[in-house]
Amino acid sequence: MTLEFTQRATGGDSPFALPGSPVPYFLEAGEGERAHLFDQLFTVLLSGDETEGQFGVFTMEAPRGEAIPVHSHADVHEIFYVLDGKVRVIIEDLDGTRHDKVLATGDFGYVPAGRKHSFRVESHRARTLGVNTGGFERFFAAAGERTEARMPPVVPLIPSREQLGAAAQEFRNEFHHGVHLHD
Amino acid sequence: MTLEFTQRATGGDSPFALPGSPVPYFLEAGEGERAHLFDQLFTVLLSGDETEGQFGVFTMEAPRGEAIPVHSHADVHEIFYVLDGKVRVIIEDLDGTRHDKVLATGDFGYVPAGRKHSFRVESHRARTLGVNTGGFERFFAAAGERTEARMPPVVPLIPSREQLGAAAQEFRNEFHHGVHLHD
């Protein structure tokens, strides 16, 4: 069910490559629903459709770059697990306390629902694994663009204000313009 | 909240090192709730207590060895993501179809709730990251033993039939004695 599954699914009418229901499957490294957004390659390995809405899993790869805009999602818990490289994760707690740490390979960060957060790749390149409350994993494709590419974009994919706004609304992802958690 | 948090928590009365509620935190590689079971080191990074029961996250490290006994958990979805090495994952679907694949670094396997499954490390050593329906991540410590060690046990920790049975009952994990998914 590995390669043939993915090839069949992506060749069909469905915009999604994943099974869409709780069935066993395998993916080889790089397989999944890939999307470009900003300077990042996202690959969704598992969605809320396979887990009765419980959780989704994705990987992210990006080069050293600018920080992702400060954002929050009221109903979505999210983790950062660093697979390779260094990523600064900044989280603002509900009382305004700021948690700021450069995570290296194997390090972990937890962003509970509703916390403003941001991150920035602080090494040549970095890869992270994310887990989120089921459903949110498809925000990246909605805000960016599905791709068959296996690398992050060379020219950053900057969505229009309209597209980013629509995706943010659909996935209840709030951008906090003017909030700078970074130095 | 990184090192001082873990040190404080593990030094207190709580048997758990994690916060126990949805608050932001970071862990450096190796930090978390560590336990030995069979020839494996499990490290829980996140539990259902932090995610309103949605999901838990753990890592597993083990040397090449025997297969884990065939088991299933009726209410728990689970993923295998290989961080390093090779792990054979075998899943029996509800209709008896057998999915069997050696997963290498970056590969992914999904075991939906209720499927009999097993795995075996097929390289010198291997490390995986697991995500499961919230709560199940503490099965490993219940079946095995909490540890401060940072390596898998040299001598496998084989729990008594009573301890394994009690943990299986508490976490609704069913062992299928006499079922061999392996060659």
Side-chain angles (χ1 to χ4, degrees):
Chain A
M1 193 172 187
T2 307
L3 276 168
E4 62 273 32
F5 152 68
T6 306
Q7 286 166 351
R8 191 192 65 238
T10 52
D13 290 335
S14 169
F16 303 130
L18 302 178
S21 64
V23 296
Y25 64 97
F26 298 119
L27 297 173
E28 293 187 359
E31 293 186 327
E33 298 178 7
R34 294 194 294 275
H36 281 164
L37 174 61
F38 303 119
D39 57 357
Q40 308 170 320
L41 171 68
F42 288 93
T43 306
V44 177
L45 309 182
L46 180 76
S47 80
D49 294 338
E50 286 79 47
T51 62
E52 303 173 282
Q54 292 171 5
F55 55 90
V57 178
F58 63 92
T59 60
M60 187 280 294
E61 179 171 2
R64 185 190 291 273
E66 298 299 307
I68 293 302
V70 176
H71 60 286
S72 62
H73 19 71
D75 304 320
V76 174
H77 301 302
E78 183 178 11
I79 77 154
F80 289 81
Y81 180 86
V82 179
L83 296 170
D84 192 34
K86 289 183 183 168
V87 179
R88 181 181 294 273
V89 176
I90 303 135
I91 315 168
E92 187 181 298
D93 209 348
L94 299 178
D95 63 2
T97 308
R98 177 179 151 153
H99 304 270
D100 181 334
K101 187 169 169 68
V102 176
L103 303 179
T105 305
D107 293 353
F108 170 89
Y110 183 50
V111 183
R115 272 69 168 189
K116 294 174 188 170
H117 59 286
S118 173
F119 67 94
R120 182 170 60 194
V121 172
E122 300 210 346
S123 51
H124 172 49
R125 278 147 60 165
R127 291 185 304 120
T128 62
L129 183 138
V131 183
N132 56 254
T133 302
F136 188 76
E137 64 281 348
R138 290 202 169 110
F139 167 76
F140 313 111
E145 196 170 278
R146 287 290 297 272
T147 183
E148 294 298 314
R150 291 183 173 272
M151 295 294 285
V154 173
V155 177
L157 189 152
I158 310 296
S160 68
R161 183 178 292 267
E162 291 69 28
Q163 182 184 355
L164 195 58
Q169 186 165 32
E170 180 183 354
F171 290 87
R172 303 194 58 197
N173 188 43
E174 189 177 357
F175 288 101
H176 301 274
H177 301 288
V179 177
H180 297 283
L181 295 183
H182 315 280
D183 297 327
Chain B
M1 196 171 186
T2 307
L3 277 169
E4 60 274 32
F5 152 68
T6 305
Q7 286 167 351
R8 190 191 65 235
T10 53
D13 291 334
S14 169
F16 303 130
L18 301 177
S21 64
V23 296
Y25 64 97
F26 298 119
L27 297 173
E28 292 187 0
E31 293 187 326
E33 299 178 6
R34 294 194 295 275
H36 280 164
L37 174 62
F38 302 120
D39 57 358
Q40 308 170 318
L41 172 68
F42 289 93
T43 306
V44 177
L45 309 182
L46 181 75
S47 80
D49 295 338
E50 286 79 46
T51 62
E52 303 173 281
Q54 292 171 4
F55 56 89
V57 178
F58 63 92
T59 60
M60 187 279 293
E61 180 171 1
R64 184 190 291 274
E66 298 299 308
I68 292 302
V70 176
H71 60 286
S72 63
H73 19 71
D75 304 318
V76 174
H77 301 302
E78 183 178 9
I79 77 153
F80 288 81
Y81 180 87
V82 179
L83 297 169
D84 191 34
K86 289 183 184 168
V87 178
R88 181 181 294 274
V89 176
I90 303 137
I91 314 169
E92 187 180 298
D93 209 347
L94 299 178
D95 63 1
T97 308
R98 176 178 151 155
H99 304 270
D100 181 334
K101 187 169 171 66
V102 176
L103 303 179
T105 304
D107 293 352
F108 170 89
Y110 182 51
V111 183
R115 272 67 168 190
K116 294 174 188 169
H117 59 286
S118 173
F119 68 94
R120 181 170 60 195
V121 172
E122 299 211 345
S123 52
H124 173 47
R125 279 148 57 165
R127 290 185 304 120
T128 63
L129 183 139
V131 183
N132 55 255
T133 301
F136 188 75
E137 64 282 346
R138 291 202 168 110
F139 167 76
F140 313 111
E145 196 171 276
R146 287 291 296 273
T147 182
E148 294 298 315
R150 291 182 173 273
M151 295 294 286
V154 173
V155 177
L157 188 153
I158 310 296
S160 68
R161 183 180 293 268
E162 290 69 28
Q163 183 184 355
L164 195 58
Q169 187 165 32
E170 180 183 355
F171 290 88
R172 302 195 58 200
N173 188 43
E174 189 177 357
F175 288 102
H176 301 276
H177 301 290
V179 176
H180 298 284
L181 294 184
H182 315 281
D183 298 326

